[in-house]
Amino acid sequence: MAVQRAELGPLLAMALMPGESWYLVDSRWFKQWKKYVGFDSWDMFGAGDLSLFPGPVDNSGLFGDPETQSLKEHLIDELDYVLVPAEAWNKLVMWYGCMDGQQPIVRKVVEYGLFVKHYKVEVYLLELKLCESSDPDNVISCHFSKADTVATIEKEMRKLFNIPAEKETRLWNRYMSNTYEQLCKLDSTVQDAGLYQGQMVLIEVKNEDGTWPGQPILAKSSAAASRTFTTSSKSSASSYSSLSATSVITNSGSSNSYGLNSSHLGRGGSGFVCNSYSCRDSVSLSQPGLCGLSNLGNTCFMNSALQCLSNTPPLTDYFLEDKYEAEINQNNPLGMRGEIAEAYAELIKQMWSGRQSHVAPRMFKTQVGRFAPQFSGYQQQDSQELLAFLLDGLHEDLNRVKKKPYLELKDASGRPDSAVAKEAWENHRLRNDSIIVDIFHGLFKSTLVCPKCSKVSVTFDPFCYLTLPLPLRRDRLMEVTLVYADPQRRPVQYRVVVPMMGAISDLCESLSRLSGAPAENMVVTDVYNHRFHKIFHMDEGLNHIMPKDDIFVYEVCKPSEDSSEYITLSVYFREKTVRQSSSTSGTVLFGQPLLISVPKHKLTVDHLYGVVLEQISRYVKLPLAEEYSAACTGKGTCNGSNGVVEGDIEEMEHQDGGEEGKDKLAEADACYSEGCMQVESARDLQPSRKQYFTFSLVNSSGTSEINSIVEGKILKLNAFSALAVDWDSDTRRLLFDEQEAQAFEKHESMLQPQKKKAVVALRDCIELFTTMETLGEHDPWYCPNCKKHQQATKKFDLWSLPRILVVHLKRFSYSRYWRDKLDTVVEFPVRGLDMSEFVCDPRAGSYVYDLIAVSNHYGAMGVGHYTAYAKNKVNDKWYYFDDSSVSTASEDQIVTKAAYVLFYQRRSSEEHTAPSPPQEEYDGMDTN
């Protein structure tokens, strides 16, 4: 144990280096290993205990599909998996081995960022859909690293589509439903080329006559210079062949015409250089600002934040009037050389030109990804996090302070709040002076009190947005279906109350109180498509269960008459079907799966047959006259003395091949075909008893059979091994009562009216934010009087508020161990939000705000969709922005449980122009 700890400790602490290979290990197995070897000094109890032995490295919990071994979506580092370097992985496999059939999950370390280099393991590879331009329906999915080059993609496509090396090709990517862009820079990385998850890439092969297949159907071009090219279907020469690396083909709605969009003509005969936003000009001019943003692949979070900022009048006016040009700070070491400001300005001008119904913000996203690596990929992100980055980036790019002075922080030392606040604000403005500070920054008052010496520390800090907590729910309602051990009882649906951050064991305890079934006999499962999608452990968190999941809880009998060891098996129902095109047979899952407990010493086919028959006796009615018929006929008849039904022979025919398979069956006492349960002797089955179904040992998804040769008549199966009960179509139709099989009852808990979800007012969130709290033991404050860290009390107050107040509702809660989204409805006023009562500056004026925009999030944490509501500054009407779609909206639609970030504008009658005196408006915060 000590050797393993000593060898792996330094390896696990290694830093990431570009190009290295790291391996994913399921955190559940890794935690078990750490316990077994006593890896953590605080958890040495039980080290070396054989009951803690982790067994072979098992990553099955990370697979969304056990067959393809593709990763589940939205896995989180440390919570779901740990990353180990290659040397550590090799040692673990040498010591413990790896689960049979599992391939190692190996990923490369890639480099992100332009100035600050950032390394991370690329856990999720990018899936691209590849096809030939001549056959767009034949699509092949392939995975690539973001560090791979376009040349790598071309090489792979040549191989996939058998394109000879001497043939000239070019690649096109489709990033909107009707827009194609040529990928000319073969040395560009996948990331730099802006390729995203699920994007279509086409390869085009040059014709023998030197033309490109796309040329004949090029009909027109739309450019800022209004220059048009036309070619007939017979033409072989066209300016199409001289398109630059950023050429774009846009399908204008006709099957035989393509248009080229461009903002200006290229120089030196290079053809058109497409505008970076690939705009589609509307036939008629649209209302300025009512411009959608195309989704480039999980970029709805960015689109939502951008629409809110676009509809913030003072900021948009600043960019439309070109005031930013004189204030760009290219030398600010904290900025981005002015590139973020320029990219944002270009996008805003496009959105407010009144010429486009929507634009594709590809260049803006590329610029953001260069400076903020966390936004460089195409996975779902947080609109508020992007907003925070963007406001900070714009501030530093437009900071009027060219050289920031060094300032020493002074303690309040008993001075009046107004004097300390004025000093804090003036110091802030000496280092931070931009349009963002003018519009978005306000001032907090923070008060800390030492519990030992009563030392009071008061500081004033700038802020850019308010992050307000939501009152936490303590519990949640879950609907589950209990499948009783008594086979004659119908399943019953219950609605149970469980702790919000509880475990599966809490669900079982709650269900036990309602049903009377012992909690220790319950197994909680997620059933999907007639199979067990997941079987939960008692210590797993309930946060893994989503509201849409179909949760079935099985009461598994565990008799205690003797000390026999019981094993729980998964049982799936399959129908054997014969394909029309050939004589081979296949299987289709149906019905509700079962969980059965069987003593290990009775694991025979005959005993399992009886147990399953009893479990399904409520909805499978056997004809009494035929149950023990000696003269059976048809597909289900017995085959001589070995007692194997003909259904097995059919299965054998397509697995072992024709007559040879029959011969093997006739010669053997046991069935040795792939997937068949095998027994030592024919005596296990009653020769004259009709068998209505057969067994197969299958994988956990029930999709394929496992070749398992069992010696002796006792089957060697593991816990939750999956058995398939195979029926032929005729027998299923005759005996299986589908209606009764699906029938269930509703417990009275389902019939009781649900409590109306609590509605929280915005002021409740503000009051919670300004409530005094005691710091946690892991977050103490250093008291200068006591000269030690203390769990002080802390209180936030608002001293001054900005012209544009951004309110972030903290709906997402997460740590290393759990995650959740609060879907509480927060009622917020669309007009007349009076914040005056929350401002503690006694000399402050009134702060009354009107709503101008809302960023919405629909769905659960880590997934879902972002949209925005915003008020157009030209006509004062509300609109709903959903990626490229823009539609009218009414005020009564805006307040929903999806509201995530709110934008309020202070009423002009209360605005002040000089924020420096403490009794006036303080605009301020540095988000560094």
Side-chain angles (χ1 to χ4, degrees), residues 1 47 51 60 155 174 196 202 239 284 297 346 357 424 461 497 542 558 565 570 616 669 706 722 908 927:
M1 302 301 110
S51 66
S60 55
K155 183 179 178 182
R174 186 174 76 184
Y196 57 81
L202 300 89
S239 295
S284 58
E346 186 182 351
S357 62
D461 302 295
V497 180
L542 290 173
K558 296 175 181 174
E565 187 180 349
S570 305
I616 62 178
D669 283 337
I706 298 170
S908 57
T927 55

Side-chain angles (χ1 to χ4, degrees), residues 247-381:
S247 306
V248 170
I249 299 178
T250 304
N251 185 345
S252 57
S254 169
S255 61
N256 63 352
S257 66
Y258 286 79
L260 294 178
N261 289 331
S262 171
S263 61
H264 58 277
L265 287 170
R267 297 178 181 175
S270 62
F272 284 107
V273 178
C274 168
N275 178 275
S276 60
Y277 292 105
S278 312
C279 321
R280 278 185 60 193
D281 289 4
S282 301
V283 176
S284 58
L285 295 180
S286 62
Q287 170 77 40
L290 302 187
C291 179
L293 295 170
S294 298
N295 192 318
L296 305 176
N298 282 333
T299 56
C300 55
F301 74 96
M302 179 181 76
N303 295 346
S304 174
L306 286 172
Q307 293 290 5
C308 291
L309 280 180
S310 168
N311 286 282
T312 301
L315 184 64
T316 293
D317 291 343
Y318 171 85
F319 282 101
L320 293 180
E321 294 165 11
D322 291 332
K323 292 179 181 177
Y324 72 96
E325 289 181 345
E327 297 186 342
I328 284 183
N329 187 341
Q330 294 182 331
N331 301 315
N332 183 355
L334 297 177
M336 293 152 215
R337 301 190 307 208
E339 292 180 29
I340 289 291
E342 287 175 339
Y344 181 76
E346 186 182 351
L347 178 58
I348 288 296
K349 288 174 182 178
Q350 292 284 346
M351 294 171 70
W352 286 86
S353 68
R355 291 194 298 270
Q356 287 85 36
S357 62
H358 67 272
V359 299
R362 299 179 76 245
M363 189 55 68
F364 177 79
K365 186 190 179 305
T366 301
Q367 291 289 56
V368 168
R370 290 173 66 207
F371 296 101
Q374 66 270 33
F375 301 118
S376 61
Y378 289 87
Q379 290 191 13
Q380 185 66 277
Q381 301 284 348

